[in-house]
Amino acid sequence: MKEDDIQYMSAFLAEFQAETDRGAALVGAALLDARLERLLLSNFLPGKISNELVLGGNAPLGTFSSRIKVCWSLGLITTSERDDLNIVRAIRNEFAHREHGISFSDNKIASHCSSLMSRRPPEMQEGVGYPP
């Protein structure tokens, strides 16, 4: 990791840890969405057309969902990373669209969280001492 990236992530984590559950879900998903944006732009030719495709909510690749699909289709992320990003997107949407009374202990949210698999140590994989 570059020094700038380390400093950025350190600052992000300091803020992230102070967030409410809703804030953590929204900010965490926003970070991942921004990383997908950066990943796409780093693999496209630089310039106006690439920017028009990726940048902004009305851009064809301007949504978290479309970025996940295209990154996977281009082989930039694995299938398990795609699946986890879709779970994070579902969690973000739950927090964003429910008016109140939601936390990570909510049954639906907890179920989503327990389904996350990427970079989980082998002993925590489903069927190896970890509940489904």
Side-chain angles (χ1 to χ4, degrees), residues 8 26 34 39 42 47 53 63 76 81 91-92 95 104 106:
Y8 175 84
L26 299 177
L39 181 60
S42 71
L53 284 171
T63 66
L76 301 175
E81 289 168 335
I91 292 167
R92 181 216 46 195
F95 276 99
F104 282 106
D106 177 270

Side-chain angles (χ1 to χ4, degrees), residues 62-73:
T63 66
F64 197 14
S65 176
S66 65
R67 290 174 181 168
I68 294 167
K69 290 174 186 173
V70 171
C71 284
W72 180 80
S73 296

Side-chain angles (χ1 to χ4, degrees), residues 33-97:
D33 187 17
R35 293 296 161 160
L36 291 175
E37 174 186 290
R38 188 171 158 186
L39 181 60
L40 285 170
L41 288 173
S42 71
N43 283 277
F44 287 176
L45 293 172
K48 182 180 177 186
I49 293 173
S50 294
N51 289 344
E52 287 174 352
L53 284 171
V54 177
L55 302 177
N58 292 323
L61 304 178
T63 66
F64 197 14
S65 176
S66 65
R67 290 174 181 168
I68 294 167
K69 290 174 186 173
V70 171
C71 284
W72 180 80
S73 296
L74 293 172
L76 301 175
I77 60 174
T78 66
T79 299
S80 65
E81 289 168 335
R82 179 204 61 197
D83 294 346
D84 277 357
L85 287 165
N86 279 317
I87 292 168
V88 169
R89 189 175 57 80
I91 292 167
R92 181 216 46 195
N93 289 347
E94 284 293 321
F95 276 99
H97 297 291

Side-chain angles (χ1 to χ4, degrees), residues 7 24 30 68 101 108 111 130-131:
Q7 289 177 354
I68 294 167
K108 189 172 186 179
S111 176
Y130 193 79

Side-chain angles (χ1 to χ4, degrees), residues 102-117:
I102 188 169
S103 72
F104 282 106
S105 61
D106 177 270
N107 287 338
K108 189 172 186 179
I109 300 297
S111 176
H112 281 314
C113 290
S114 70
S115 297
L116 294 166
M117 294 299 291

